[in-house]
């Protein structure tokens, strides 16, 4: 799998007279592979927008190496511009223009054939409102028009900063379907988002940033399994047997929490240990499953740990 984005050791410091020196990126690393929807996650102020602005050549890093589509940034940024589409700031529209007029104007300015307008309107689901004025559009429709503007030149890499911000559940779902359709059409999508359930459903891989540092990355499945809770949920034929089962498991060194209809067990290396310990007391497992951990739990665990560590070290900006 080839890397579309490679970032190594990125540092960026902001200096202002009023607020002093602020370290926004502190040796940050990230890799995004071709054809994936890659989620870029981090708490407010952790450095996501700064990273995206560096990738786009909009701001310069103090140190580190950045390559997009194999080319160095910022040196190759003018050449890369036509291969990257981006939605990183609130889009501005001419409210009295229609979506069709808006895209046609951009086609003319960017020497893209106008035949692309209808294609893109179809892709973002605005074909039936294409001739209506933008000022009559909902927030979700405006966001989809902004994505249409970003993909007009059929970029290889699409960078989106919180595209579902402020959208209702239906709008979020349309945006998710759109991202998936774009990735299926061969585009690599880098998506900064706070909506972790969405990221878990949509993204192939993720990078987690906290206080300007990389704190986790990998395919969503890997990240979920790497940070699995190590706890197992155990149900028996009858809930009446749970107290006896809890005593049996505790006696062999496991940690057990008794809930109304199940046990939560940790402190084991193999699940067979649970069935074996219960069988010696004539108890049989009806259901045994790993306790589910979502991306949100992992995100909070990693970013809290990182922030707490940096507070201890006294290196917070
Ligand atoms: N132009 C700037 N001048 C001074 N400080 C800045 C500037 N831009 C960003 N910062 C600081 O850099 C740090 C990272 O900000 P950044 O906007 O990259 O975070 P973010 O992860 O995108 O946050 P959010 O999720 O809230 O958008 C923050 O401490 C922020 O205050």
């Amino acid at each position: 799998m080839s890397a579309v984005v490679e970032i190594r050791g990125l540092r960026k410091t902001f200096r202002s007279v009023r607020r002093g020196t602020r370290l926004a990126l502190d040796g940050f690393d990230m890799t995004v592979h071709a054809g994936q929807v890659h989620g870029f996650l981090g708490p407010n102020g952790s450095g996501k927008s700064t990273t995206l602005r560096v990738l786009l050549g909009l701001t310069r890093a103090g140190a580190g190496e950045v390559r997009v589509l194999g080319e160095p940034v910022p040196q190759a940024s003018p050449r890369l511009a036509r291969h990257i589409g981006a939605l990183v700031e609130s889009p501005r529209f001419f409210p009295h223009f229609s979506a069709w007029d808006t895209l046609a104007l951009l086609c003319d300015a960017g020497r893209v054939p106008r035949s692309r307008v209808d294609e893109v309107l179809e892709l973002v689901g605005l074909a039936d409102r294409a001739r209506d004025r933008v000022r009559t559009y909902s927030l979700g429709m405006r966001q989809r028009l902004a994505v249409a503007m970003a993909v007009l030149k059929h970029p290889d890499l699409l960078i989106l900063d919180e595209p579902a911000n402020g959208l209702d559940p239906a709008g979020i779902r349309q945006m998710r379907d759109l991202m998936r359709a774009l990735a299926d059409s061969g585009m690599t999508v880098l998506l900064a988002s706070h909506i972790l359930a969405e990221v878990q459903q949509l993204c192939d891989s993720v990078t987690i940033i906290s206080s300007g540092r990389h704190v986790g990355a990998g395919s969503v499945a890997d990240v979920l399994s790497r940070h699995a809770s190590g706890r197992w949920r155990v149900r028996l034929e009858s809930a009446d047997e749970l107290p006896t089962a809890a005593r049996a498991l505790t006696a062999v060194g496991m940690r057990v929490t008794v809930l109304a209809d199940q046990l939560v067990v940790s402190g084991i290396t193999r699940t067979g240990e649970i069935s074996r310990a219960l069988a010696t007391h004539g108890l049989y497992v009806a259901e045994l499953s790993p306790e589910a951990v979502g991306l949100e739990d992992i995100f909070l665990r990693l970013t809290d740990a990182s922030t707490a560590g940096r507070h201890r070290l006294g290196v917070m900006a």
Side-chain angles (χ1 to χ4, degrees):
M1 237 188 315
S2 61
V4 169
V5 174
E6 284 175 285
I7 297 178
R8 295 289 164 263
L10 197 63
R11 283 176 71 85
K12 171 77 185 171
T13 306
F14 289 106
R15 289 191 177 81
S16 78
V17 177
R18 207 156 53 87
R19 293 198 292 172
T21 300
R22 190 171 288 258
L23 188 59
L25 295 171
D26 184 10
F28 178 64
D29 299 328
M30 175 160 73
T31 304
V32 179
H33 291 292
Q36 299 212 322
V37 182
H38 188 92
F40 187 19
L41 313 176
N44 290 127
S46 56
K48 301 181 297 297
S49 302
T50 305
T51 304
L52 299 184
R53 291 178 62 79
V54 170
L55 277 179
L56 290 164
L58 298 174
T59 190
R60 274 180 183 265
E65 196 188 332
V66 179
R67 299 186 86 81
V68 174
L69 297 161
E71 303 239 36
V73 170
Q75 296 83 341
S77 292
R79 203 164 50 243
L80 282 167
R82 57 182 296 273
H83 298 285
I84 308 176
L87 171 56
V88 293
E89 266 142 28
S90 300
R92 303 229 171 138
F93 305 106
F94 294 121
H96 55 285
F97 268 40
S98 67
W100 201 95
D101 297 335
T102 307
L103 295 170
L105 184 72
L106 286 175
C107 277
D108 296 348
R111 279 180 278 148
V112 174
R114 280 193 170 194
S115 56
R116 180 76 178 139
V117 173
D118 289 322
E119 252 172 62
V120 165
L121 285 167
E122 194 64 48
L123 183 69
V124 302
L126 283 177
D128 57 339
R129 297 284 306 271
R131 301 283 177 176
D132 293 350
R133 290 180 181 204
V134 171
R135 68 178 155 86
T136 68
Y137 286 7
S138 68
L139 181 62
M141 292 169 70
R142 284 171 197 231
Q143 283 299 87
R144 281 184 282 138
L145 175 57
V147 173
M149 292 158 71
V151 300
L152 203 59
K153 286 191 263 179
H154 210 298
D156 299 299
L157 171 64
L158 178 63
I159 296 178
L160 302 169
D161 196 357
E162 301 286 351
N165 226 357
L167 301 190
D168 63 14
I172 291 175
R173 190 186 184 143
Q174 283 167 340
M175 194 51 82
R176 186 205 314 154
D177 293 344
L178 175 55
M179 311 280 105
R180 187 33 69 198
L182 292 170
D184 291 346
S185 76
M187 234 172 256
T188 304
V189 181
L190 174 55
L191 166 74
S193 176
H194 283 119
I195 310 177
L196 297 174
E198 270 305 300
V199 169
Q200 188 169 336
Q201 279 189 60
L202 168 69
C203 293
D204 303 297
S205 52
V206 290
T207 296
I208 305 177
I209 184 173
S210 181
S211 305
R213 286 170 169 247
H214 163 126
V215 291
S219 75
V220 172
D222 280 354
V223 170
L224 291 175
S225 68
R226 208 180 310 142
H227 297 279
S229 71
R231 287 194 291 266
W232 294 81
R233 296 192 168 268
V234 182
R235 288 179 205 273
L236 303 178
E237 302 273 302
S238 155
D240 297 341
E241 298 168 339
L242 292 176
T244 317
R247 279 194 296 278
L249 296 177
T250 309
V252 292
M254 298 180 198
R255 288 185 295 280
V256 181
T257 307
V258 185
L259 304 179
D261 59 343
Q262 59 189 284
L263 304 176
V264 179
V265 180
S266 60
I268 55 164
T269 49
R270 280 186 315 225
T271 53
E273 295 170 34
I274 296 177
S275 331
R276 213 169 317 118
L278 293 177
T280 57
H281 290 76
L283 298 168
Y284 294 95
V285 172
E287 193 186 317
L288 179 62
S289 53
E291 189 180 58
V293 173
L295 204 49
E296 185 166 299
D297 302 305
I298 296 168
F299 172 84
L300 290 173
R301 217 188 300 157
L302 289 177
T303 55
D304 278 358
S306 147
T307 308
R310 288 166 60 72
H311 273 300
R312 273 199 303 278
L313 292 167
V315 290
M316 283 294 285

